[in-house]
Amino acid sequence: MNRRVRQKVAKKSKEKVELPSNPEIGDAGLCPDSNEDVDWTSLPDDTVIQLFSCLNYRDRASLSSTCKTWRVLGLSSCLWISLDLRAHKCDPGMAVSLASRCVNLQKIRFRGAESADAIIHLQARNLREISGDYCRKITDATLSMIVARHEALETLQLGPDFCEKVSSDAIKAIAFCCPKLKKLRLSGLRDVSADVINALAKHCPNLIDIGFLDCLKVDEAALGNVVSVHFLSVAGTSNMKWGVVSHLWHKLPKLIGLDVSRTDIDPSAVSRLLSLSPSLKVLCAMNCPVLEEDNAFSVNKYKGKLLLALFNDIFKGLASLFADITKMGKNVLLEWRNLKTKDKNVDEIMSWLEWILSHTLLRTAESNPQGLDVFWLKLGAPILLSLMQSSQEEVQERAATGLATFVVIDDENASIDCGRAEAVMRDGGIRLLLNLAKSWREGLQSEAAKAIANLSVNANVAKAVAEEGGIEILAGLARSMNRLVAEEAAGGLWNLSVGEEHKGAIAEAGGVKALVDLIFKWSSGSDGVLERAAGALANLAADDKCSMEVALAGGVHALVMLARNCKFEGVQEQAARALANLAAHGDSNSNNAAVGQEAGALEALVQLTRSLHEGVRQEAAGALWNLSFDDRNREAIAAAGGVEALVALAQSCANASPGLQERAAGALWGLSVSEANSIAIGQEGGVAPLIALARSEAEDVHETAAGALWNLAFNRGNALRIVEEGGVPALVDLCSSSVSKMARFMAALALAYMFDGRMDEFALIGTSTESISKSVNLDGARRMALKHIEAFVLTFTDPQAFATAAASSAPAALAQVTERARIQEAGHLRCSGAEIGRFVAMLRNPSSILKACAAFALLQFTIPGGRHALHHASLMQSAGAARVLRAAAAAATAPLEAKIFARIVLRNLEFHHIESSI
């Protein structure tokens, strides 16, 4: 039997531009020498407040609790100007506890409807900016309550996901309650009516930035009435009447920037807007198919106007906004940020464009339209990298998310576009992402870690990440108390751990302990964290040394806990795969036995073989296969109902994937090493499905099905069942035509067991007293079997080498025969004393074919260098095989193959006797 380690086969420089400095995680320079005594409480108050401002809320609260002085300083209003609740479950109770700190709160970011409901309890009357995502469940009542309590609101953003339950009534409430509103960006509204827009125009005179993105319907004519607007985006909005737009919007007196990306705007509307609007400076029309299909369209005639489209050089276009800079190239955004003399109007446009571009590129990456490969390589990736260096945190996050998204071409199979991934790497993207990941801002940490994780599916990118210190950074982030950060960091370690060269580095960086701790920390309600952590541990457990690290860190208990208690199929699959890999090193460590001894482990894996999810069944069967190599585990699996479950699995997987078929047959192969289990498998009906699997087209399935049938055939009752169920033709086909030498070998051995004479007497009785034996022609089956056994053995013989060996006993002659006859994988098989004794007895069989087959088998089991060769030699010594072998080698009537093979086995026994006595 062969243990199988299950890897995740997702079952990617130019001059580097550094980010503006941010406090970094794990900066050794911040830590004083451990031998020095430092009185931190003696620091000046303003220094402490500055340190607090560089921490996330959780760490800030922890430090505030250390002493009375710091508790007072931790309540300083300057530390509570901005609040990011996205990573936290914020209910009304939590909001009330924060209310005393939020008197001067001006900006808040939240996620989900529950946090939205809690915002009003913060009592932050001076709130200026609200930004929320995952807003699908936010209702009119919630949004209306929020704006009614925050009349000083200047910015409201909900998206980029759709606000499906927000209607025109809530938007009217915004208009009535927030007269100071300057910026309104809403995504996915069903209908933005004329009444709503007119209310905004009337009651919000300072409204200069409007975004109705990905909406189903927006009243175009009414938008022409919002005379205060400077920047307008209807990106992704459908059902727009572009004739109305082109005749009305150019009259907006202050319109500077217009975004119509991802719409069906036509060239005539674009031309009319650019030519007739005196104030319009920038029109963004990215990913607009109708416009892009017009090859005759030209923007050169619109002097002083900038059109950003997929067919234009966007960097060159952006540079045209600056009077004194004409050759910025791809660094135009960075050059703008570093300008010593600023133009307020240009800054306003550039800030808006950063937001628009980050949003549009992310949406485009999510939809992954065809035909954009050249754009992504030449412009898309460099733009996203430039946007990651923005001073706007939200733009940085979306740019990182865009990088994480645009490389993925098949999310289910974790396939990425290698060209795009390596384009990011060539442009210095790895260092930029790692710098973001070291930021103290947890939103940036999670999005950067997500991008690193996805890019690292590419082996070249993974190598670059490791060389840039990314493994240490991700291991540090995996310890974060922020679930979103920990989840993405675990995903990064999962993908990096696919590479054999990274496993040791992950362990050295403390990644194993961090991943195991994640499972205990987020043991319920955090399926994404658990799946990624278990997946990374599964990859690490494939390495012998790392598997011991996993066990020492408590990984066995953690993974068994997931297998027993978690109901999410992705977690179950990865936990089972991890346990399978831990159990795959039974010859070098004790993890196989440790998994079996963990309370409930075997019962959980047996139960998982009944899962409705094929991946879960496959990995559970693989784990049971590996665990069955331990004698105690083998019997415990049977006691836990493993025989019945695995037979049922084999019966159900005729049309399943080759991976599931291989593991189902492999697990039965492992259990059938025990004679009691072998009999139980036969009585449970396991013979027929194994014969069906033996007919699979997959080489790996051939091996495991043949191995299981070989073990079952040792029992004469099972041997007869195999004949009755039509197993002889199936084994004959394997023996003669399988691509796998091992499958052919084991099929031949199974046939030899079946027709060495022991089954004949039993056949007269039948396989059971409850049923009548099926009518079979044993003589015909025997002749067919022997014919193909002989043909199989002869394929490993060379007449010239045999003639030389027959004429001479020189080691070189025998070595030449051995080299031709050797089946490399057979050295991994481990036979019992009874099996060895049966082959030795077969040397006396009247059939010359069976004699040759037995000698050939014993040769495979004793070739020096085989994993269990010494064990087999010892069993043969105990069985007195040397005398029988000498007789076979000297018998005048024995076939030449049997004689030569017997002499080689005798030489092997002498070698092992000498070896064991040294």
Side-chain angles (χ1 to χ4, degrees):
M1 292 183 290
N2 295 327
R3 290 183 181 85
R4 301 295 173 96
V5 171
R6 305 298 164 196
Q7 289 278 27
K8 175 184 182 287
V9 285
K11 193 91 106 20
K12 270 184 205 291
S13 157
K14 296 183 180 180
E15 181 182 356
K16 297 175 182 174
V17 182
E18 296 294 336
L19 278 174
S21 60
N22 279 325
E24 298 182 355
I25 296 173
D27 191 334
L30 296 178
C31 300
D33 190 298
S34 58
N35 294 325
E36 297 180 11
D37 292 328
V38 178
D39 183 7
W40 292 97
T41 60
S42 65
L43 290 173
D45 291 354
D46 57 347
T47 301
V48 174
I49 290 175
Q50 182 63 32
L51 288 173
F52 274 31
S53 70
C54 297
L55 300 175
N56 60 50
Y57 306 112
R58 184 181 291 103
D59 292 343
R60 196 182 297 170
S62 297
L63 276 182
S64 296
S65 66
T66 57
C67 66
K68 183 178 179 180
T69 301
W70 282 15
R71 184 160 56 251
V72 172
L73 292 175
L75 295 174
S76 301
S77 60
C78 62
L79 295 174
W80 295 92
I81 300 298
S82 175
L83 186 60
D84 187 347
L85 295 173
R86 289 175 297 165
H88 310 283
K89 184 178 180 181
C90 184
D91 54 23
M94 176 182 175
V96 169
S97 69
L98 291 173
S100 61
R101 300 173 174 86
C102 297
V103 174
N104 296 312
L105 186 66
Q106 294 184 14
K107 177 180 178 179
I108 188 169
R109 300 183 72 180
F110 71 92
R111 175 166 290 165
E114 184 177 19
S115 293
D117 290 332
I119 286 176
I120 58 174
H121 297 282
L122 292 173
Q123 301 296 319
R125 295 290 184 180
N126 296 318
L127 203 58
R128 299 286 190 274
E129 181 177 340
I130 295 177
S131 179
D133 53 19
Y134 287 84
C135 299
R136 291 183 182 272
K137 295 183 179 180
I138 290 181
T139 63
D140 282 355
T142 296
L143 184 55
S144 298
M145 183 71 74
I146 289 174
V147 297
R149 295 292 184 92
H150 303 100
E151 61 276 2
L153 200 63
E154 297 178 358
T155 297
L156 176 62
Q157 296 184 158
L158 299 179
D161 49 318
F162 297 165
C163 304
E164 296 177 342
K165 295 187 177 182
V166 174
S167 72
S168 295
D169 292 339
I171 306 174
K172 279 186 180 180
I174 296 172
F176 295 146
C177 298
C178 304
K180 296 181 180 180
L181 194 66
K182 296 180 179 179
K183 184 186 299 181
L184 177 66
R185 293 170 180 164
L186 303 174
S187 295
L189 300 175
R190 295 184 179 276
D191 183 15
V192 184
S193 66
D195 288 346
V196 167
I197 297 173
N198 290 331
L200 289 170
K202 179 180 180 180
H203 298 285
C204 302
N206 300 318
L207 187 57
I208 63 172
D209 188 335
I210 299 176
F212 292 125
L213 303 99
D214 296 293
C215 298
L216 293 180
K217 184 180 179 182
V218 174
D219 192 287
E220 308 89 347
L223 277 175
N225 298 329
V226 190
V227 294
S228 62
V229 68
H230 291 191
F231 301 100
L232 174 61
S233 175
V234 290
T237 292
S238 55
N239 301 311
M240 296 291 292
K241 298 183 180 75
W242 295 113
V244 175
V245 168
S246 62
H247 282 84
L248 292 178
W249 290 7
H250 69 83
K251 299 177 183 178
L252 289 167
K254 299 179 181 179
L255 185 64
I256 299 171
L258 174 61
D259 177 25
V260 294
S261 299
R262 299 180 294 109
T263 67
D264 58 354
I265 192 170
D266 54 73
S268 62
V270 172
S271 297
R272 190 171 178 83
L273 288 166
L274 289 173
S275 60
L276 297 180
S277 175
S279 60
L280 185 64
K281 294 185 180 298
V282 181
L283 196 157
C284 189
M286 305 276 286
N287 194 19
C288 296
V290 177
L291 178 64
E292 292 157 7
E293 289 169 3
D294 188 343
N295 297 324
F297 184 80
S298 173
V299 296
N300 295 329
K301 58 184 178 180
Y302 306 110
K303 300 301 181 183
K305 309 282 185 170
L306 172 59
L307 174 65
L308 296 181
L310 295 184
F311 50 76
N312 286 348
D313 186 331
I314 294 173
F315 286 115
K316 185 177 180 180
L318 294 175
S320 69
L321 295 172
F322 301 89
D324 57 343
I325 302 176
T326 58
K327 296 183 179 179
M328 293 183 177
K330 291 183 179 181
N331 288 329
V332 59
L333 292 172
L334 183 63
E335 294 288 345
W336 159 62
R337 297 184 197 106
N338 292 334
L339 285 176
K340 294 181 179 179
T341 303
K342 296 282 189 177
D343 183 319
K344 182 180 179 182
N345 293 327
V346 174
D347 285 354
E348 191 177 36
I349 294 172
M350 292 296 289
S351 295
W352 177 75
L353 281 174
E354 281 193 331
W355 192 93
I356 290 300
L357 286 171
S358 66
H359 184 279
T360 292
L361 290 177
L362 175 56
R363 279 298 197 203
T364 303
E366 289 171 341
S367 61
N368 194 25
Q370 298 296 313
L372 294 186
D373 288 343
V374 174
F375 166 77
W376 284 122
L377 292 176
K378 290 187 175 181
L379 289 173
I383 292 172
L384 288 170
L385 292 175
S386 293
L387 293 174
M388 282 206 309
Q389 301 165 80
S390 170
S391 60
Q392 301 179 69
E393 182 180 351
E394 186 178 5
V395 171
Q396 288 181 298
E397 288 183 18
R398 287 194 181 177
T401 308
L403 288 175
T405 306
F406 95 113
V407 296
V408 179
I409 55 179
D410 183 352
D411 189 53
E412 185 174 348
N413 296 312
S415 298
I416 68 170
D417 186 298
C418 294
R420 297 178 187 179
E422 293 184 8
V424 174
M425 178 175 66
R426 286 193 301 271
D427 286 336
I430 302 306
R431 173 45 50 191
L432 290 173
L433 285 166
L434 291 175
N435 281 344
L436 281 188
K438 292 190 291 185
S439 165
W440 63 271
R441 295 183 174 90
E442 293 176 328
L444 293 177
Q445 291 175 1
S446 64
E447 297 309 316
K450 180 190 297 181
I452 293 167
N454 287 358
L455 291 163
S456 295
V457 173
N458 177 274
N460 293 329
V461 175
K463 181 180 178 182
V465 170
E467 290 174 348
E468 294 275 8
I471 288 176
E472 292 79 5
I473 292 171
L474 290 172
L477 293 180
R479 302 183 186 97
S480 173
M481 295 299 292
N482 183 316
R483 181 183 60 80
L484 299 178
V485 174
E487 180 175 329
E488 300 302 345
L493 294 174
W494 186 4
N495 286 340
L496 283 167
S497 63
V498 173
E500 294 298 322
E501 67 274 26
H502 305 313
K503 289 180 169 66
I506 292 172
E508 290 175 7
V512 171
K513 181 67 163 59
L515 290 164
V516 172
D517 287 346
L518 276 182
I519 294 176
F520 292 118
K521 187 186 301 180
W522 308 101
S523 57
S524 61
S526 303
D527 297 332
V529 178
L530 298 176
E531 181 179 15
R532 288 163 173 77
L537 290 172
N539 287 350
L540 293 168
D543 177 81
D544 185 17
K545 183 177 179 181
C546 288
S547 73
M548 291 188 284
E549 292 272 355
V550 172
L552 288 172
V556 173
H557 179 63
L559 292 164
V560 169
M561 178 182 71
L562 292 183
R564 293 181 64 185
N565 301 328
C566 189
K567 303 304 179 185
F568 180 62
E569 292 165 343
V571 177
Q572 293 174 341
E573 180 177 355
Q574 297 309 322
R577 186 169 69 91
L579 292 171
N581 286 350
L582 281 173
H585 308 284
D587 292 336
S588 56
N589 64 50
S590 60
N591 287 347
N592 189 304
V595 173
Q597 292 166 11
E598 182 70 28
L602 301 180
E603 292 81 358
L605 290 168
V606 168
Q607 184 61 35
L608 290 181
T609 63
R610 301 185 176 98
S611 170
L612 297 177
H613 187 271
E614 180 171 316
V616 176
R617 297 197 302 272
Q618 177 173 304
E619 299 303 342
L624 292 171
W625 179 10
N626 284 350
L627 288 164
S628 66
F629 281 80
D630 181 271
D631 293 341
R632 288 173 296 178
N633 286 345
R634 191 183 305 124
E635 302 311 318
I637 292 169
V643 169
E644 296 85 348
L646 289 167
V647 167
L649 181 61
Q651 290 170 338
S652 69
C653 69
N655 298 318
S657 66
L660 176 55
Q661 292 179 339
E662 178 200 15
R663 290 160 177 79
L668 288 172
W669 181 12
L671 287 185
S672 64
V673 169
S674 158
E675 185 173 6
N677 290 345
S678 176
I679 294 171
I681 291 169
Q683 292 175 343
E684 193 65 30
V687 169
L690 285 169
I691 292 172
L693 292 176
R695 300 184 186 278
S696 168
E697 296 180 358
E699 177 183 341
D700 289 341
V701 182
H702 289 175
E703 290 186 9
T704 55
L709 290 170
W710 172 36
N711 279 353
L712 291 176
F714 188 81
N715 174 268
R716 56 185 184 172
N718 284 336
L720 184 56
R721 287 189 179 92
I722 294 172
V723 176
E724 291 174 342
E725 295 290 347
V728 173
L731 288 168
V732 162
D733 286 344
L734 281 186
C735 185
S736 60
S737 61
S738 176
V739 177
S740 166
K741 289 183 180 180
M742 271 291 285
R744 294 168 61 199
F745 177 53
M746 291 185 291
L749 298 187
L751 291 170
Y753 276 173
M754 292 162 62
F755 296 107
D756 67 352
R758 300 191 184 196
M759 181 179 63
D760 296 354
E761 180 180 348
F762 191 77
L764 298 175
I765 303 172
T767 57
S768 70
T769 57
E770 290 84 10
S771 63
I772 300 174
S773 177
K774 296 179 181 178
S775 177
V776 294
N777 182 353
L778 284 181
D779 289 338
R782 180 182 291 106
R783 286 193 296 271
M784 182 192 301
L786 292 178
K787 174 184 176 182
H788 285 85
I789 292 171
E790 181 180 29
F792 167 76
V793 173
L794 289 177
T795 59
F796 292 89
T797 64
D798 176 48
Q800 183 176 353
F802 265 62
T804 303
S808 170
S809 298
L814 294 179
Q816 187 177 1
V817 174
T818 302
E819 189 60 32
R820 173 64 185 265
R822 182 171 189 166
I823 301 174
Q824 190 71 35
E825 298 86 352
H828 297 298
L829 297 173
R830 180 184 175 94
C831 296
S832 66
E835 289 173 302
I836 292 295
R838 190 157 179 176
F839 284 118
V840 171
M842 205 180 292
L843 292 170
R844 301 191 185 97
N845 196 286
S847 168
S848 60
I849 295 173
L850 291 179
K851 286 180 180 179
C853 180
F856 179 78
L858 292 172
L859 181 153
Q860 305 300 327
F861 300 146
T862 58
I863 291 177
R867 181 185 295 175
H868 304 295
L870 187 60
H871 165 73
H872 293 147
S874 176
L875 294 176
M876 291 176 69
Q877 298 279 11
S878 302
R883 179 172 55 82
V884 181
L885 286 163
R886 283 192 290 269
T893 58
L896 180 60
E897 295 83 10
K899 292 181 180 183
I900 300 300
F901 289 149
R903 285 165 57 188
I904 296 173
V905 176
L906 282 168
R907 189 191 64 167
N908 291 345
L909 292 180
E910 291 173 2
F911 172 87
H912 291 300
H913 177 70
I914 294 171
E915 184 184 63
S916 62
S917 63
I918 293 176

